[in-house]
């Protein structure tokens, strides 16, 4: 997904459609991202003088580690974006969010990579229930906790409970 600007200028005020699969290796250095299964990109480039408006639709499947179980799972990522490549802008600090400087070639791969990375979930799991436990602790429902705490009496307060029970018997 790379064109020279002279190739694109032949289509002045026309849309150039494209679609295809992009091979992306080493997407990010995040430990939970294992690999990119596939990245299908389609869209169009509208050529207008010194600007190139690119409408992108990205559908990819990312192999990630499950946040709870650490098993490898497939996470679908879909992104829709409008990116503008401008020849007249030299300084990236003066650019708006979706405007990119371009000199001789229009290369979409870095933008596609960035869009996929930004849209990756921070934590993802396919598991619906909490089955976590560890040394000396487990995850329990709130109802179970309330039931357990109502039955248990702190041993340090056992004498006070006995005193309270004896006061109740005296009142009867």
């Amino acid at each position: 997904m790379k064109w020279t600007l002279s190739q694109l200028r032949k289509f002045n005020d026309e849309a150039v459609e494209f679609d295809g699969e992009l091979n992306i290796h080493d997407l990010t250095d995040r430990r939970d991202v294992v690999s990119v299964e596939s990245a299908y990109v389609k869209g169009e480039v509208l050529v207008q003088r010194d600007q190139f408006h690119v409408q992108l639709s990205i559908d990819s499947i990312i192999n990630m580690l499950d946040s709870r179980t650490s098993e490898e799972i497939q996470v679908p990522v879909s992104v829709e974006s409008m990116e503008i490549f401008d020849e007249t802008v030299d300084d990236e600090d003066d650019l708006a969010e979706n405007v990119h400087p371009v000199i001789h070639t229009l290369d979409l791969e870095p933008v596609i990579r960035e869009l996929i990375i930004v849209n990756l979930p921070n934590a993802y799991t396919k598991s619906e229930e909490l089955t976590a436990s560890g040394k000396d602790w487990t995850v329990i429902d709130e109802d179970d906790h309330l039931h357990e705490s109502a039955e248990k009496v702190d041993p340090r307060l056992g004498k006070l409970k006995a005193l309270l029970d004896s006061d109740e018997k005296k009142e009867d």
Side-chain angles (χ1 to χ4, degrees):
M1 311 227 171
K2 189 175 190 178
W3 302 273
T4 64
L5 299 185
S6 59
Q7 286 176 318
L8 290 173
R9 284 210 175 83
K10 294 177 185 175
F11 301 99
N12 196 23
D13 293 327
E14 293 181 35
V16 178
E17 293 185 10
F18 61 91
D19 66 345
E21 193 162 337
L22 188 63
N23 292 327
I24 299 177
H25 302 286
D26 300 328
L27 179 66
T28 180
D29 60 353
R30 281 179 43 180
R31 293 181 184 173
D32 61 339
V33 177
V34 178
S35 64
V36 178
E37 182 90 10
S38 66
Y40 181 75
V41 181
K42 68 178 184 174
E44 60 183 24
V45 179
L46 181 62
V47 181
Q48 296 179 339
R49 293 189 121 199
D50 296 331
Q51 286 190 342
F52 304 90
H53 297 255
V54 181
Q55 179 67 41
L56 287 170
S57 175
I58 306 165
D59 292 313
S60 62
I61 297 175
I62 311 296
N63 293 326
M64 294 180 70
L65 296 179
D66 189 293
S67 299
R68 291 188 186 149
T69 63
S70 293
E71 295 175 2
E72 191 172 312
I73 57 173
Q74 293 184 336
V75 179
V77 176
S78 294
V79 181
E80 298 282 331
S81 181
M82 170 60 102
E83 304 292 327
I84 300 171
F85 294 84
D86 195 336
E87 263 190 298
T88 60
V89 179
D90 293 330
D91 189 15
E92 287 192 38
D93 295 335
D94 297 334
L95 296 176
E97 185 176 321
N98 291 352
V99 179
H100 312 277
V102 64
I103 298 176
H104 299 293
T105 60
L106 176 65
D107 187 7
L108 296 180
E109 184 176 348
V111 174
I112 293 168
R113 292 173 71 89
E114 180 181 337
L115 287 169
I116 292 173
I117 290 170
V118 168
N119 287 286
L120 281 175
N122 288 332
Y124 191 84
T125 184
K126 287 194 172 190
S127 173
E128 289 294 324
E129 58 184 68
L130 294 173
T131 57
S133 64
K135 184 178 179 182
D136 299 329
W137 66 273
T138 60
V139 176
I140 60 172
D141 291 328
E142 186 175 358
D143 295 335
D144 293 342
H145 173 69
L146 293 175
H147 183 66
E148 273 184 26
S149 62
E151 290 179 0
K152 286 185 180 178
V153 175
D154 190 342
R156 296 173 291 179
L157 302 176
K159 290 181 180 180
L160 291 175
K161 181 164 176 32
L163 182 63
L164 181 64
D165 291 341
S166 67
D167 283 346
E168 286 178 2
K169 287 180 184 178
K170 286 180 185 178
E171 290 178 7
D172 291 337

